[in-house]
Amino acid sequence: MRHRVGGRKLQRTSSHRAALFRNMAAALIKHEQITTTLAKAKELRPYVEKLITLAKKGGLSNRRLAHSRLMDDVQLVKLFDTLAPRYADRNGGYTRVIKAGLRASDAAQIAIIELIDRDVTAKGQDSGPVQGDEFDEAA
């Protein structure tokens, strides 16, 4: 019986899955919008929303819990100092999953997961060119 066995395995070991969610959560907090497969986006949503709820509660023990799940000091600071005050009056529902079609190579369903009321300038920050932007500089 599968009682109370939740979550998708995503064809990964448990340690690989934990590392995947840790990295994707850090990327989502940093850029406030990422593109991934629909299954990964749906599994990432509760992971990130629980981190934001920890940040809203504040305190040292919650900061340590969030650090153990995120393992990124820079994004931890952003989570507690920027995102927690932004969502202080919202009771859950901090993320949105938008279906974005099929991937050309393997026809996997693609989705965009983003934070509600996101900062649009955070997209692509410190990670090279932003996908979809035009090359505006004169060479």
Side-chain angles (χ1 to χ4, degrees), residues 52-68:
I52 294 173
T53 302
L54 278 176
K56 281 176 52 177
K57 290 178 182 175
L60 181 61
S61 61
N62 286 335
R63 185 175 288 265
R64 287 178 174 164
L65 270 173
H67 182 266
S68 70

Side-chain angles (χ1 to χ4, degrees), residues 62-138:
N62 286 335
R63 185 175 288 265
R64 287 178 174 164
L65 270 173
H67 182 266
S68 70
R69 295 186 183 130
L70 194 59
M71 292 293 188
D72 190 337
D73 295 332
V74 176
Q75 304 322 315
L76 186 72
V77 170
K78 180 177 180 181
L79 180 66
F80 275 79
D81 296 345
T82 306
L83 298 182
R86 184 188 302 172
Y87 299 119
D89 57 344
R90 181 180 285 269
N91 297 324
Y94 314 113
T95 58
R96 170 189 301 133
V97 175
I98 303 167
K99 291 182 182 180
L102 301 176
R103 188 160 52 198
S105 61
D106 61 354
Q109 288 184 318
I110 296 297
I112 296 169
I113 181 168
E114 64 183 12
L115 296 177
I116 303 290
D117 302 329
R118 68 184 176 94
D119 178 18
V120 294
T121 61
K123 183 179 175 184
Q125 184 178 11
D126 300 331
S127 65
V130 178
Q131 187 179 17
D133 286 352
E134 298 296 323
F135 186 73
D136 293 330
E137 296 178 15

Side-chain angles (χ1 to χ4, degrees), residues 45-56:
R45 174 189 281 184
Y47 192 89
V48 171
E49 293 201 0
K50 287 172 186 172
L51 285 174
I52 294 173
T53 302
L54 278 176
K56 281 176 52 177

